[in-house]
Amino acid sequence: MLITTILLTLVMIMIWRTPAVLVALYFVVFFVMEGVYVSAVFTKFAEGGWIPFAISFILAFVMFGWFYGRQRKTDYELTHKITFERLEELLADSSVKRVPGLCFFYTNIQEGLTPILGHYIKNMKSLHKVTVFTTLRYLLVPKVAPHERIVIKKSNLEGVYCCMIQYGYADALNLEGDHFVDKVISSLEKHIQKHQSPENLSSDSLEIGETSNLKEARLAGVVHVRGKTRFYIGLNCGWFDKFVLTFYEVMHNNCRSGLPTLGIPPQQRIEVGMLYEAWRFTVSNVSNFPRFSSFTSSQYTRLMGPNKNMW
């Protein structure tokens, strides 16, 4: 309870922007009251008072392990992110084809593209004609206005867009299935119309072409792609990383995918497997990370189990 009081006080200051007088009044009253309870537990520590502290320690370790693992994955993705220039180089390869359809490629980073994209193109040798790199972002505000929910950014590549879907901590994830796709396509069409010059005839024809490509891709089929990442914990990792990241992998394996939350049909989902190498993280070896950690389908089957395919 004491920890809850401290954390709620931080929320009141940093997020709710509550007046300082009300924050101080809340903190003093509850801190004193709960501090009395904690001191009472200390007087009976040997007779069983240690149990609440043991439970608190276990829960704190679980939260720290999850945070540390997520942070290491984010660091890896930022270090190995794919730029649009690099994506253009990958698509310039004659063996890579643009296939019909609309693809939502989910990424966790906002600056640049996930390294899973390079792994995907390298193995599949294809990319959909219309690809929308989608990021779900939770803001430190109660609710996001409907007109600010979907933010679109066009890249310099044909048929490639970036989409950020923003939610507040009190918002419900109410975009599901076809409704989600229709909302994004509508936002894409508005973005295309907004950024075309009304005085340029070639600009009008380009707008018509992009809009028709969106409709054709929608009719050809929709697919949602996300990464199924795992840490490869090598011998060069320290004992702390080995222990914490192994614990994180155990928790991660028991968490379901975020795609079912959006109501996406199973036949439209693709999960791309990739290993992230868990090197000992120091400033001197950041530049020595390998560009991609690829693995064969047989290795993936042994890693993920016989019932999960790579593509």
Side-chain angles (χ1 to χ4, degrees):
M1 292 187 296
L2 192 62
I3 296 176
T4 303
T5 298
I6 296 174
L7 294 178
L8 183 55
T9 302
L10 293 176
V11 170
M12 294 172 69
I13 296 173
M14 300 173 62
I15 299 178
W16 296 348
R17 307 296 182 182
T18 306
V21 176
L22 296 179
V23 174
L25 182 63
Y26 164 81
F27 180 76
V28 170
V29 172
F30 283 89
F31 186 84
V32 172
M33 182 174 59
E34 292 170 0
V36 172
Y37 287 128
V38 172
S39 62
V41 172
F42 270 115
T43 60
K44 298 291 184 179
F45 190 84
E47 289 79 7
W50 58 271
I51 295 178
F53 293 97
I55 295 174
S56 300
F57 176 79
I58 293 173
L59 294 177
F61 178 75
V62 169
M63 290 187 288
F64 171 78
W66 183 261
F67 170 80
Y68 185 78
R70 294 283 296 179
Q71 189 62 42
R72 287 298 299 270
K73 279 190 175 181
T74 301
D75 292 338
Y76 186 96
E77 291 179 346
L78 291 174
T79 304
H80 299 82
K81 65 183 179 181
I82 303 293
T83 62
F84 284 105
E85 291 76 14
R86 173 59 180 164
L87 177 59
E88 188 174 6
E89 293 176 4
L90 293 172
L91 296 178
D93 189 345
S94 58
S95 62
V96 177
K97 307 299 181 183
R98 299 296 295 269
V99 298
L102 173 62
C103 173
F104 289 90
F105 209 111
Y106 293 88
T107 175
N108 293 325
I109 57 177
Q110 301 172 22
E111 299 296 331
L113 305 174
T114 173
I116 298 173
L117 172 64
H119 184 63
Y120 176 82
I121 296 177
K122 178 181 177 182
N123 288 274
M124 296 297 289
K125 299 296 182 183
S126 65
L127 188 69
H128 288 75
K129 286 187 176 179
V130 177
T131 301
V132 182
F133 295 101
T134 308
T135 303
L136 299 179
R137 182 188 182 193
Y138 285 91
L139 305 178
L140 297 180
V141 295
K143 291 183 178 294
V144 175
H147 66 278
E148 298 177 350
R149 176 85 65 204
I150 300 177
V151 179
I152 302 294
K153 183 175 71 172
K154 178 71 171 68
S155 72
N156 295 327
L157 301 176
E158 181 181 358
V160 177
Y161 304 88
C162 293
C163 171
M164 183 181 299
I165 303 177
Q166 303 182 128
Y167 284 91
Y169 56 82
D171 280 327
L173 196 64
N174 54 5
L175 294 180
E176 296 187 358
D178 292 337
H179 180 57
F180 168 77
V181 175
D182 293 338
K183 281 283 188 181
V184 174
I185 290 179
S186 176
S187 298
L188 285 171
E189 292 175 346
K190 292 178 181 178
H191 177 82
I192 293 172
Q193 296 171 2
K194 180 180 178 181
H195 289 78
Q196 300 300 333
S197 174
E199 301 176 356
N200 193 338
L201 295 178
S202 62
S203 179
D204 292 339
S205 62
L206 182 61
E207 174 189 337
I208 296 173
E210 286 194 67
T211 304
S212 62
N213 288 340
L214 281 175
K215 294 179 180 178
E216 291 175 5
R218 177 73 167 87
L219 294 175
V222 180
V223 65
H224 300 259
V225 181
R226 71 179 293 271
K228 183 73 174 181
T229 57
R230 294 285 303 273
F231 275 117
Y232 173 74
I233 304 173
L235 298 177
N236 59 333
C237 290
W239 65 269
F240 179 79
D241 279 349
K242 288 181 179 179
F243 179 72
V244 178
L245 295 181
T246 300
F247 178 68
Y248 168 80
E249 285 299 324
V250 172
M251 293 191 292
H252 186 260
N253 290 338
N254 288 280
C255 294
R256 68 172 184 170
S257 166
L259 296 185
T261 307
L262 293 174
I264 298 171
Q267 62 270 20
Q268 294 183 1
R269 305 177 200 167
I270 296 179
E271 292 190 344
V272 182
M274 182 174 176
L275 289 178
Y276 287 178
E277 290 196 51
W279 291 70
R280 187 183 303 228
F281 193 80
T282 61
V283 176
S284 60
N285 65 17
V286 167
S287 60
N288 297 325
F289 279 136
R291 190 169 187 84
F292 296 112
S293 301
S294 304
F295 50 94
T296 64
S297 58
S298 60
Q299 291 173 325
Y300 186 85
T301 302
R302 291 196 301 269
L303 178 67
M304 305 302 288
N307 297 324
K308 296 185 179 180
N309 299 321
M310 186 171 183
W311 312 116

